[in-house]
Amino acid sequence: MRRAKSASAHLTERERARQRVAVVIPAKDEARRIAATVRAAKAIPHVDLVLVVDDGSEDNTQDVARDAGAVVVRHSHNRGKAAAMETGAAVVAMRDAPGRAPRLLLFIDGDLAETAVNTAPLVAPVLDGHADMSIALLPPQPGAGGRGIVVGAARRAIASMTGWTPTQPLSGMRCLTREAFEAGTPLALGWGVETGLTIDLLRLGYVAVEVPCDLRHRPSGSDFRGQMHRAGQYRDVLLAINARKVRAVGGAVRNLTTKKKP
């Protein structure tokens, strides 16, 4: 197994004991679940900051999250998950203490409620330097209506472009080092963010692992709304994949051109 590429792989035991984790929760219209999610996230070992990025909610997500103990920043209008993740990471960076290792970034969904604490196993592989990014493997979700078309497309693309075959390539619960996150920016837009981030980091030599986590969230069903959600996922995942294929071809052409120069 390859060792992690970033600085966490070289921390001393004392530095690991002092390493902090920031939970970043992109959320839109999650007033019903966000308080339970925030409270559960605060119970994760090493976490000293829970940050909710309210991405243009039309309900009182920001107020509920703040009352539950989260630091809250808000987009005035919906900008999408990638923008919320980037905003969250930027705010965490501003709160990192000088002379101390940057916080690890643990991204979780706002609808995990009490099960958010079960993302804790994602921290250890990154903290111990075995991986630069850990990805949650979720158990089967009651009521999920998908047929695996989007997951299959993402899995095949990641495997063909990186050599690594993930089980759940669309999982949004991920822990990363600051270095790895910044290497993966700018993030792919929309629902393609996870697929794009995985491809980009692995192609740069970073190490990813999948970790089973007992999580429960609100799945998309088989009704019209669920079908539209999956159609949007499929579109965004294909856009992320094709953008990286074009980028790879462009890089290969530049390398060939460079080699031909006298």
Side-chain angles (χ1 to χ4, degrees), residues 119-184:
T119 59
L122 294 173
V123 174
V126 182
L127 181 62
D128 294 342
H130 297 307
D132 303 293
M133 176 172 67
S134 57
I135 304 168
L137 284 175
L138 281 68
Q141 301 293 299
R147 299 182 180 180
I149 296 173
V150 185
V151 170
R155 182 184 295 127
R156 289 189 297 272
I158 292 170
S160 66
M161 298 178 73
T162 71
W164 183 63
T165 305
T167 302
Q168 293 184 8
L170 303 183
S171 175
M173 276 56 71
R174 299 178 177 224
C175 185
L176 297 87
T177 63
R178 163 69 56 179
E179 178 185 330
F181 181 80
E182 291 181 351

Side-chain angles (χ1 to χ4, degrees), residues 52-59 62 72-77:
V52 171
V53 181
D54 183 343
D55 190 30
S57 293
E58 297 179 2
D59 63 11
Q62 64 169 328
V72 178
V73 294
R74 175 175 165 78
H75 291 164
S76 60
H77 60 280

Side-chain angles (χ1 to χ4, degrees), residues 11-158:
L11 294 179
T12 65
E13 288 189 17
R14 183 179 179 183
E15 288 171 330
R16 290 188 206 285
R18 297 180 66 240
Q19 176 73 68
R20 301 292 88 186
V21 178
V23 176
V24 179
I25 310 175
K28 182 179 187 299
D29 298 331
E30 290 290 355
R32 293 181 60 185
R33 292 174 175 243
I34 195 66
T37 302
V38 168
R39 288 192 292 265
K42 292 180 69 175
I44 297 171
H46 295 280
V47 168
D48 72 338
L49 173 62
V50 176
L51 175 69
V52 171
V53 181
D54 183 343
D55 190 30
S57 293
E58 297 179 2
D59 63 11
N60 62 335
T61 291
Q62 64 169 328
D63 300 320
V64 175
R66 192 176 290 109
D67 289 344
V71 173
V72 178
V73 294
R74 175 175 165 78
H75 291 164
S76 60
H77 60 280
N78 181 245
R79 294 169 53 190
K81 185 175 183 180
M85 291 172 67
E86 291 178 348
T87 294
V91 173
V92 171
M94 289 188 290
R95 288 173 169 262
D96 282 341
R100 193 167 183 172
R103 289 179 175 90
L104 302 182
L105 300 170
L106 176 57
F107 294 97
I108 69 173
D109 291 346
D111 62 355
L112 293 179
E114 293 82 0
T115 70
V117 70
N118 296 334
T119 59
L122 294 173
V123 174
V126 182
L127 181 62
D128 294 342
H130 297 307
D132 303 293
M133 176 172 67
S134 57
I135 304 168
L137 284 175
L138 281 68
Q141 301 293 299
R147 299 182 180 180
I149 296 173
V150 185
V151 170
R155 182 184 295 127
R156 289 189 297 272
I158 292 170

